[in-house]
Amino acid sequence: MNKPNTTGIISVILVYGIIFSEFYLFMFYFLPAYNAKYGNIAIFIGIEFTILYSFLHFAYFQAQKQSPGHTPKDLVKHYHQTTLEEIKARTKKHSEILQKKRKQQFNKRFELQEEEDEILQLFTNLDSDIIQSIKLVSFCFKCDNIKLPRTHHCKECGKCILRMDHHCPWVNNCIGMKNHRYFCQFLFYALSCMLQCTGFIVSDIWFHDAFVLSELNGNQKFLCQICAATCFALNVALGTLLGFHLYHIGQNVTTVEFHIEEMKTDNPFKKPLLIDNFKELFGEKFIYWVLPIKEAYKNELPRSDLFEV
């Protein structure tokens, strides 16, 4: 059993502290002052902001608590012993190939010019083997279990994660097949809330000579200005991160796979239509794209290499 991740727990508490403080300052400091200056329109702004904030919290909770997807513990029992030994041997071979490729890349700069064609041919052959290893069922010697395609072992969680993207300390969980959608929705709703905080407060300061903030006392006005500055910094960070993930989803590549050089030139998972790449992760129905509600996943596993009795 893994020990509690203290760093992850502290990170989650910090995230909750930031988003709650931003919500409190905007709802209970800025909006009452906005209401005093512009009337009941502030009520509708508050309702809309609260809805976004609720979705933010629910998506964040789902990203934390939803399992990213794990290989079934008894999956190895479904494989014939002979087939299992073949998978283990293939896994070791592909591991050696990957190490060889990395070594060749490291040593390439020291090779003579006339040997470049030979090296290029070697790289091409190794690239093909590496892509093949990503597409096939392999074996995890740490979990002593089968690794389905696109599955990776997380050293933080101590488990194999289906379609693993990365381990995120800010949600204290791995991001994988079953919670990557919630993670992206959390980023989207957090960005929406932070943009709103920044937009209203900064526009009041720059374009209206602090017309709304003049209703507040010195400390309240200072806290609202800190809120706007913090939200602006978070907008840049969250916007960049969300764009990074949406681009990868559109390319049907995970963060782990993005760092595999061979995937950048020969991605076997990318579908011809952009929307189909998004559907693979977000679901067929558009409601799952925008709302952080749980979708029923089919309990289906690839039958390749399986021994059927």
Side-chain angles (χ1 to χ4, degrees):
M1 186 176 182
N2 295 334
K3 296 180 180 179
N5 188 340
T6 306
T7 303
I9 294 173
I10 293 174
S11 299
V12 169
I13 293 173
L14 180 61
V15 171
Y16 275 118
I18 291 173
I19 58 181
F20 177 76
S21 61
E22 306 294 354
F23 174 80
Y24 184 85
L25 290 172
F26 186 75
M27 287 292 295
F28 297 102
Y29 281 10
F30 183 80
L31 278 188
Y34 193 90
N35 182 68
K37 294 293 187 179
Y38 294 105
N40 292 336
I41 189 174
I43 296 175
F44 295 100
I45 295 173
I47 292 172
E48 172 264 336
F49 187 79
T50 302
I51 292 173
L52 288 178
Y53 183 76
S54 300
F55 286 159
L56 183 162
H57 265 289
F58 193 64
Y60 187 53
F61 179 80
Q62 289 282 61
Q64 292 177 67
K65 298 303 179 183
Q66 175 69 40
S67 167
H70 303 296
T71 305
K73 294 181 179 179
D74 63 344
L75 183 59
V76 69
K77 297 178 182 179
H78 294 275
Y79 286 72
H80 190 280
Q81 186 62 34
T82 302
T83 304
L84 194 59
E85 292 302 323
E86 292 176 355
I87 294 173
K88 289 181 179 180
R90 186 175 66 209
T91 301
K92 290 179 179 179
K93 177 187 175 183
H94 286 152
S95 178
E96 292 171 358
I97 289 173
L98 186 59
Q99 291 177 10
K100 183 178 181 181
K101 172 69 183 291
R102 300 299 176 246
K103 184 177 179 181
Q104 289 288 347
Q105 288 176 326
F106 179 78
N107 292 333
K108 183 177 183 294
R109 69 191 67 176
F110 303 109
E111 300 291 343
L112 297 176
Q113 181 68 33
E114 57 267 21
E115 295 179 352
E116 285 190 355
D117 291 340
E118 180 182 348
I119 295 170
L120 182 60
Q121 181 61 42
L122 175 60
F123 277 15
T124 302
N125 295 335
L126 292 178
D127 288 352
S128 176
D129 287 332
I130 291 170
I131 293 298
Q132 190 72 6
S133 70
I134 295 173
K135 294 167 59 178
L136 295 175
V137 170
S138 58
F139 192 83
C140 179
F141 293 94
K142 294 179 180 178
C143 294
D144 195 29
N145 199 4
I146 291 296
K147 282 174 64 177
L148 297 174
R150 309 190 83 175
T151 300
H152 296 273
H153 185 88
C154 175
K155 63 180 180 181
E156 298 290 338
C157 299
K159 297 179 180 178
C160 281
I161 309 298
L162 300 176
R163 201 183 190 277
M164 179 178 172
D165 188 84
H166 68 288
H167 183 91
C168 181
W170 299 105
V171 300
N172 196 26
N173 196 7
C174 257
I175 303 302
M177 183 178 73
K178 293 187 177 181
N179 67 348
H180 197 170
R181 173 169 66 92
Y182 298 126
F183 180 75
C184 291
Q185 288 171 338
F186 161 67
L187 294 178
F188 172 77
Y189 287 120
L191 184 63
S192 300
C193 289
M194 301 298 176
L195 281 172
Q196 194 161 322
C197 288
T198 306
F200 275 102
I201 298 175
V202 170
S203 64
D204 180 62
I205 296 172
W206 282 3
F207 303 113
H208 303 287
D209 198 25
F211 180 63
V212 173
L213 293 182
S214 63
E215 286 287 317
L216 304 175
N217 62 40
N219 288 336
Q220 292 174 335
K221 185 184 298 185
F222 174 73
L223 288 174
C224 284
Q225 291 170 341
I226 293 297
C227 172
T230 304
C231 286
F232 177 79
L234 289 172
N235 286 334
V236 175
L238 295 178
T240 302
L241 185 59
L242 180 59
F244 179 81
H245 278 273
L246 292 180
Y247 172 76
H248 283 178
I249 293 170
Q251 297 296 311
N252 206 328
V253 65
T254 65
T255 300
V256 172
E257 293 165 351
F258 175 75
H259 290 94
I260 300 175
E261 288 294 326
E262 295 75 21
M263 286 287 289
K264 297 178 181 179
T265 55
D266 185 16
N267 181 358
F269 307 112
K270 185 178 179 181
K271 296 177 172 60
L273 295 179
L274 180 67
I275 192 170
D276 289 336
N277 292 313
F278 276 92
K279 283 182 178 180
E280 183 175 307
L281 195 65
F282 283 85
E284 291 288 333
K285 298 181 180 179
F286 185 70
I287 189 173
Y288 296 121
W289 292 40
V290 294
L291 296 181
I293 54 179
K294 189 173 182 179
E295 181 182 9
Y297 288 93
K298 295 180 181 179
N299 186 24
E300 295 180 354
L301 296 173
R303 298 300 300 179
S304 60
D305 291 338
L306 279 180
F307 173 71
E308 300 181 19
V309 293

